[in-house]
Amino acid sequence: MNLPFPRPWAALLRACACLLIAAGATLPAARAAYPEHPIRIIVPFSAGATLDLMTRAVAEQLAGELGQQVIVENRPGASGIIGADATAKAAPDGYTYMMAPFSVLAVNASLHKNLPYDNLRDFAPVALVAAAPHVLLASAQSPFKTLGDLIAYAKAHPGDLSYASAGAGSSAHLATEVLRYMTGMDMTHVPYKGTAPAYSDLIPGRVAVMIDGVGAALPRIESGQVRALGVTSPERVPVLPDVPTLAEAGAPGYDVTPWYGMVAPRDTPAAVVDTMNQAVNRALRSDALRKRFADMGLQPRGGTPAEFGQYLASETGKWRQVVRDAHVTVN
């Protein structure tokens, strides 16, 4: 057979054709849809708290949305700093995220000097996930049936009462410090490593009160172990319709509504962040997740990464002012 090209050119063309075929064989791998393997979401606090329960519910829904396993990894310690630092230093490949409360994402920068990361620079905002009203709790064995009872006793016996939290700098610590400042109560902070050990002292009355997320507190309220004195949000919570807001109960103007958001390490590709954001928003619109949120007293949010980034910057500035005015410390 006569070739239309001289033999050297024919050999070269055959070689080029082989290279093109080989390159074509790699295209599916190069264009593989994200995600290709399991994703992890770091929770910077211990298992069993509202944040953990919420994240596991979201992870289950995201697994269906993304077609990959979504693993929740608890990395508690140091007011959420350990988990946040691990997230900031993770590879920005779209396979590590963090679900964290406002205390970690917006407040720690005002409470802790020399953080190993910058809350606005070292994370890529993904989505605002939920607002999480908390509730002020007293032991069912205590004499405190209302916030007014607590305020009156604390003022009559300054320094005698203590309050528990899931840790210094946690949402509960901040919410209680704002309440203490607004009402003039003199109480001693007793930080614990998570809510489980805190309840071990709250239920028998070894500490006077504690603020916790509605989702984690609800079973203990329903079982009669603790008494709900008021919710931290400006409106009552549907799952606790008979419990007043703290503003109604004796702290006019009080409004601390913790929130939870998802972030990724800085430099995570924008296209990957957008994919996760869209999956989160679809999950938050699902009937199944909305029901689970309602059962936990959570209010779904959502929105774009840019909107969450603006909100995060605004909240960081707001809490810097609160920390200064209320003299909140982590000591």
Side-chain angles (χ1 to χ4, degrees), residues 235-255:
E235 303 88 20
R236 295 194 182 196
V237 177
V239 293
L240 294 171
D242 297 327
V243 177
T245 68
L246 290 173
E248 293 174 318
Y254 183 90
D255 173 13

Side-chain angles (χ1 to χ4, degrees), residues 102 115 164 171 180 228 261:
F102 78 105
L115 282 178
S171 300
R180 190 184 63 78

Side-chain angles (χ1 to χ4, degrees), residues 259-278:
W259 51 262
Y260 302 130
M262 179 184 281
V263 296
R266 182 182 64 179
D267 298 330
T268 299
V272 170
V273 169
D274 286 340
T275 296
M276 179 58 78
N277 171 268
Q278 292 163 19

Side-chain angles (χ1 to χ4, degrees), residues 69-187:
Q69 185 180 11
V70 180
I71 301 164
V72 176
E73 179 182 325
N74 295 92
R75 297 286 296 271
S79 304
I81 295 171
I82 290 175
D85 189 41
T87 305
K89 291 179 170 56
D93 56 6
Y95 290 93
T96 297
Y97 296 87
M98 177 174 69
M99 191 80 79
F102 78 105
S103 59
V104 173
L105 291 173
V107 189
N108 272 352
S110 298
L111 289 175
H112 301 273
K113 295 181 179 179
N114 304 316
L115 282 178
Y117 56 85
D118 185 291
N119 69 311
L120 297 179
R121 185 192 65 213
D122 292 333
F123 298 116
V126 176
L128 177 63
V129 177
H134 281 36
V135 57
L136 177 65
L137 306 165
S139 169
Q141 301 177 32
S142 78
F144 308 124
K145 296 183 179 180
T146 67
L147 175 62
D149 293 340
L150 181 68
I151 293 172
Y153 187 94
K155 289 186 174 181
H157 305 84
D160 280 5
L161 295 181
S162 58
Y163 74 89
S165 82
S170 65
S171 300
H173 174 210
L174 296 167
T176 314
E177 280 294 295
V178 173
L179 179 65
R180 190 184 63 78
Y181 171 73
M182 291 181 67
T183 59
M185 289 189 289
D186 182 0
M187 297 191 296

